[in-house]
């Protein structure tokens, strides 16, 4: 079956540090890939997505590139802020029965300190 | 534009009872999906509805059911509650569901005692 593996958290960084959160996937075929972010007490928000190999998704300074050869979609940001503290989820989906079913990783908590 | 609204925000129920959770999608969105979030299992897909029809279903027992109304609002029902059903239940809506972005509500926190 399809699965997503993320690095364990929490990840603790100082403000302005470089961020990488690793994500790899197992899937039959070529899924679309997503990063979602969850702030405390809230639902998930779509951060960025990529729908085919070598696509780069980007938003709010975050980037991730769909790497088919390594089945990876690592999240990066050049300079994190305290406000980036949240839980980040990597996810994949296929068009299944005409619908949209997301398979999520376990989430990685990011803590950014001053 | 109003976001996805889930009610209630918090629920406390006793084992054996049943519960109904409600979700109002973003106006114009016709697909509604439900996810269960727990510390142990993470985020797991429950089901998806589109135009009042269940289009996808996850691997949950039949105690978990849902429906969608003609105005796209959706309800989720859990019967014969078990302690393990304690979780954050998230609803997400999208325009068509076919890989269009999901917009999540803030969830309903269900505690089963």
């Amino acid at each position: 079956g399809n699965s997503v593996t993320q690095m364990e958290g929490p990840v603790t960084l100082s403000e302005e540090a470089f961020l990488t959160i690793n994500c790899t996937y197992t899937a039959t075929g070529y899924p679309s890939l997503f990063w979602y972010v969850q702030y405390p007490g809230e639902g998930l928000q779509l951060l960025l997505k990529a729908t085919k190999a070598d696509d780069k998704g980007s938003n709010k300074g975050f980037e991730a590139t769909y790497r088919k050869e390594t089945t990876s979609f690592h999240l990066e940001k050049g300079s994190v802020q305290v406000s980036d503290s949240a839980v980040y989820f990597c996810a994949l989906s296929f068009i299944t029965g005409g619908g949209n079913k997301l398979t999520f990783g376990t989430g990685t908590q990011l803590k950014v300190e001053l | 534009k109003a976001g996805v609204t889930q009610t209630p925000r918090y629920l406390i129920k006793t084992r054996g009872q049943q519960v109904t959770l409600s979700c109002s999608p973003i106006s114009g969105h016709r697909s509604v999906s439900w996810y269960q979030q727990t510390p142990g299992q993470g985020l797991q897909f429950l089901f998806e509805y589109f135009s009042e029809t269940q289009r996808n279903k996850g691997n949950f027992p039949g105690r978990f059911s849902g429906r969608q109304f003609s105005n796209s609002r959706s309800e989720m029902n859990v019967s014969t509650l078990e302690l393990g059903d304690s979780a954050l239940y998230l609803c997400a809506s999208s325009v068509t569901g076919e890989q269009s972005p999901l917009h999540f509500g803030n969830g309903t926190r269900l505690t089963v005692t």
Side-chain angles (χ1 to χ4, degrees), chain A residues 9 21 24-25 29 37 59 63 72 95 99 103 108:
Chain A
I21 300 178
T24 57
Y25 68 89
V37 58
N59 185 27
E63 293 182 340
S72 65
I95 297 176
T103 299
T108 302

Side-chain angles (χ1 to χ4, degrees), chain A residues 6 19-21 33-39 43-50 56-65 73-78 80 83-91 102 104 108 110, chain B residues 101-104:
Chain A
Q6 288 182 237
L19 168 71
T20 300
I21 300 178
L33 300 173
F34 306 83
W35 277 100
Y36 279 83
V37 58
Q38 186 176 33
Y39 298 100
L44 279 71
Q45 301 175 25
L46 177 63
L47 184 59
L48 53 85
K49 70 173 186 178
K56 177 186 280 190
S58 61
N59 185 27
K60 300 180 182 179
F62 291 90
E63 293 182 340
T65 301
F73 193 54
H74 305 321
L75 182 69
E76 296 182 335
K77 187 176 185 184
V80 293
S83 57
D84 293 327
S85 299
V87 180
Y88 292 80
F89 293 90
C90 186
L102 283 170
F104 285 93
T108 302
L110 170 64
Chain B
L102 293 183
H103 298 263
F104 282 82

Side-chain angles (χ1 to χ4, degrees), chain A residues 32 36 38 41-44 46 49 89 94-102 104, chain B residues 9 33 35 37 43 45 48 55-56 88 90 97-102 104-106:
Chain A
S32 293
Y36 279 83
Q38 186 176 33
E42 298 184 10
L44 279 71
L46 177 63
K49 70 173 186 178
F89 293 90
F94 289 94
I95 297 176
T96 306
N100 188 359
K101 170 186 170 182
L102 283 170
F104 285 93
Chain B
R9 282 299 307 270
S33 302
Y35 289 82
Q37 186 177 23
L43 280 152
F45 173 78
E48 182 206 3
R55 190 158 64 173
N56 283 300
L88 181 67
L90 292 166
E98 296 189 13
Q99 299 206 22
S100 53
L102 293 183
F104 282 82
N106 288 339

Side-chain angles (χ1 to χ4, degrees), chain B residues 19-62:
Chain B
V19 67
T20 299
L21 283 54
S22 179
C23 173
S24 293
I26 291 172
S27 177
H29 286 195
R30 296 170 62 193
S31 167
V32 174
S33 302
W34 289 88
Y35 289 82
Q36 182 196 64
Q37 186 177 23
T38 60
Q41 300 296 317
L43 280 152
Q44 293 186 287
F45 173 78
L46 280 155
F47 27 65
E48 182 206 3
Y49 287 87
F50 181 80
S51 294
E52 302 179 66
T53 300
Q54 187 180 85
R55 190 158 64 173
N56 283 300
K57 190 175 189 306
N59 296 323
F60 278 81

